Amino acid sequence: MAAETSPRWDRRMRQRLAHGEEAALGELYDRLASTVHSLAHRVLEDEGAADEVTREVFAHVWQHPEEFGPGRGTLRSLLAALASDCAVRRLREGGAASEGRVRRAATAARADFIVTSMPVPLRAALDSAYHQRRTYRQTARDLNVTEDEARRRLRLGLQLLSSAGGGPGTAP
């Protein structure tokens, strides 16, 4: 998972990008390229195509910094959404994918976007329970929270994820 970003970092990065600071683009790339690439790879199942989507996303940020202004979400969530959209569009344009595969890829991209955009406490709880196969009690101990809080985080995280399968018109 990519390094976390703070609201202050996000705000400062937006200002730097708006002023055309090349070093800002490099820092943004260093911080979030792995998130963008993994989302694209999940949809396209092709390393080269995921690399191209990653370049396309960061080129778009550089060319259109005004689209990433404050009030539109975190840079992380905006880049994740852009990566998902670009990858699904590329999959559709490729012509080799069936509509079923495109739908599955779009659902997977929405799920990845949701997880990527989740607050850190929810992601940490889901990671503990899913990837590490921990119970909610073990998750509570791992995160140093009450069992009720661990259950709440897991429930909310799963509710958010359940919206990923809502169909092609569902916004992430």
Side-chain angles (χ1 to χ4, degrees):
M1 189 95 17
E4 294 304 317
T5 60
S6 69
R8 183 176 180 201
W9 182 89
D10 227 54
R11 194 171 38 256
R12 182 69 183 126
M13 180 58 64
R14 290 171 202 264
Q15 292 169 345
R16 292 172 63 197
L17 289 167
H19 286 95
E21 188 180 321
E22 290 180 25
L25 183 65
E27 186 179 331
L28 182 68
Y29 183 90
D30 290 345
R31 184 75 61 105
L32 297 174
S34 63
T35 298
V36 169
H37 188 274
S38 66
L39 287 168
H41 191 273
R42 169 94 184 247
V43 172
L44 298 167
E45 298 174 345
D46 179 290
E47 191 72 27
D51 290 344
E52 290 174 19
V53 167
T54 302
R55 283 191 295 275
E56 183 180 338
V57 165
F58 284 94
H60 186 83
V61 170
W62 182 248
Q63 293 166 354
H64 305 282
E66 70 281 357
E67 292 181 16
F68 302 91
R72 300 208 48 205
T74 65
L75 282 173
R76 184 177 200 190
S77 67
L78 290 171
L79 290 178
L82 185 57
S84 296
D85 292 346
C86 288
V88 169
R89 185 183 70 247
R90 185 177 289 259
L91 188 62
R92 279 198 165 102
E93 290 170 354
S98 69
E99 189 56 34
R101 178 169 179 230
V102 171
R103 258 193 306 275
R104 286 189 303 276
T107 299
R110 279 192 300 273
D112 282 346
F113 171 79
I114 290 166
V115 169
T116 300
S117 301
M118 263 181 205
V120 174
L122 296 182
R123 269 200 328 266
L126 288 176
D127 180 62
S128 176
Y130 181 73
H131 292 292
Q132 299 172 31
R133 300 198 180 279
R134 311 281 280 164
T135 67
Y136 77 90
R137 286 186 173 108
Q138 292 168 322
T139 296
R141 282 194 301 273
D142 292 348
L143 301 177
N144 199 26
V145 297
T146 65
E147 290 179 5
D148 284 342
E149 177 62 13
R151 279 195 304 265
R152 187 191 68 75
R153 289 179 186 183
L154 289 168
R155 186 178 319 111
L156 182 55
L158 291 172
Q159 285 172 341
L160 288 169
L161 273 175
S162 71
S163 68
T170 304

